[in-house]
Amino acid sequence: MKLSLFATHRTPGRISARGTRRTSAAITGAALAGLLATATPAATAAPAHEASAPRTASAAAALAAPDIPLTNVKAHLTQLSSIAAANGGNRAHGRAGYLASINYVKGKLDAAGFVTSVQQFTSGGATGYNLIADWPGGDTNQVVMAGSHLDSVTSGAGINDNGSGSAAVLEAALAVSRAQLQPTKHLRFAWWGAEELGLVGSRYYVNNLSTANRARISGYLNFDMIGSPNPGYFVYDDDPTIEQTFKDYYAGLGVPTEIETEGDGRSDHAPFKNVGIPVGGLFTGASNTKSAAQAQKWGGTSGVAFDRCYHRSCDTLANIDDTALDRNSDAAAYAIWTLSGA
């Protein structure tokens, strides 16, 4: 999650043209060529339709949503951590670690039968990448998207921010493949670049969609920082149907939720919302302090930030609450299954 809309130029992660040249030398030509060989524009033509709000599937269909294995999600986090360690300690925009992260996620999705495309953009003198993955089938006039930002800040590996969301979305997509899901609506997954510089990748994607293709997106679900070590359980209060879907899931667990306010407008749902696309998502807190009432409700430590390692080098594999990550990964799958009419 980026710092704030008003702190874009102060956010760690922007690199100069000189820094870009140094970084580019560290990226092998073979890796870049392999990545771009399959790149296609993210938006494709299809018949126009009127936008419709996501609808809730039957209770029986919702019950079919899988339990996302925490061990699988954490295995992806381990890979992202290793990628950062091998590439200067981070996975930031314009750095070798980000490109390696894109290649890792893309490889998993290609092997699972997704149709993937890589969208290029430029920010701060460096090339950035969005990864889009479409699951074949479903009504392409009604698209349910789930996404997360894949970049970290330059100060660390970014395992909670936002390896947690990226790993959960990846494993939910792989669960779709394992189930050979045939939802009513079309499913699309996305991993955004340069979020930490001001939502650059997701804004580029939305701005380059035609009006007709924007109208085809029934809902966008965002997952940014969903494994904070002193977690809260926050639900976006944007689209009522999406919001209620997440609340229903947590009500079934007996876990109370609160409306998300700390990150409002500061993550990749904002560009979608700004053009009228229904959005929703989950969040476990960043630098805000957990209150006594929240600690009583959720456990954890009052008077301490939800994530003391937010945008710091200590955002490592040790900076994850397994229970929060597990619950939110399952909630993501529940929402994807339910809202797509699976």
Side-chain angles (χ1 to χ4, degrees), residues 10-285:
R10 299 193 300 273
T11 306
R14 187 176 295 277
I15 60 176
S16 66
R18 178 187 293 179
T20 302
R21 288 194 294 272
R22 289 198 301 266
T23 302
S24 297
I27 304 174
T28 66
L32 185 57
L35 172 67
L36 299 181
T38 57
T40 58
T44 55
H49 86 297
E50 295 296 323
S52 60
R55 58 178 175 79
T56 302
S58 67
L63 288 173
D67 180 2
I68 299 298
L70 176 63
T71 53
N72 291 9
V73 179
K74 294 197 73 176
H76 300 314
L77 291 181
T78 298
Q79 290 298 316
L80 294 177
S81 177
S82 296
I83 286 169
N87 291 282
N90 66 70
R91 302 179 300 99
H93 166 74
R95 308 298 179 92
Y98 182 73
L99 182 58
S101 299
I102 284 280
N103 281 332
Y104 170 73
V105 176
K106 186 177 186 299
K108 291 289 186 182
L109 295 164
D110 287 341
F114 283 84
V115 178
T116 62
S117 60
V118 176
Q119 185 181 50
Q120 291 187 63
F121 58 89
T122 301
S123 181
T127 301
Y129 307 97
N130 293 326
L131 173 62
I132 312 299
D134 285 88
W135 180 242
D139 182 359
T140 55
N141 286 326
Q142 299 183 84
V143 179
V144 173
M145 289 190 71
S148 60
H149 75 88
L150 188 56
D151 63 315
S152 73
V153 292
T154 57
S155 59
I159 297 304
N160 186 39
D161 185 16
N162 183 38
S164 61
S166 293
V169 172
L170 173 57
E171 193 55 32
L174 296 179
V176 167
S177 174
R178 288 193 294 269
Q180 287 298 292
L181 199 64
Q182 297 182 9
T184 301
K185 297 181 181 179
H186 182 75
L187 284 174
R188 179 175 298 154
F189 298 86
W191 289 262
W192 309 116
E195 187 269 359
E196 297 292 2
L197 302 185
L199 319 181
V200 178
S202 55
R203 183 176 291 115
Y204 183 87
Y205 175 82
V206 171
N207 287 349
N208 283 275
L209 289 173
S210 66
T211 300
N213 278 334
R214 288 178 183 175
R216 293 184 180 99
I217 302 176
S218 297
Y220 171 72
L221 314 177
N222 195 57
F223 302 93
D224 190 354
M225 299 182 68
I226 60 170
S228 299
N230 190 31
Y233 292 90
F234 299 101
V235 176
Y236 296 10
D237 66 337
D238 295 293
D239 178 73
T241 300
I242 299 174
E243 177 186 353
Q244 191 59 51
T245 301
F246 285 123
K247 286 182 173 179
D248 287 347
Y249 173 79
Y250 272 103
L253 294 183
V255 175
T257 60
E258 290 185 9
I259 296 303
E260 196 282 313
T261 58
E262 182 181 5
D264 196 20
R266 292 170 52 189
S267 193
D268 294 298
H269 61 292
F272 290 85
K273 180 179 178 180
N274 290 342
V275 298
I277 294 170
V279 301
L282 299 174
F283 179 57
T284 50

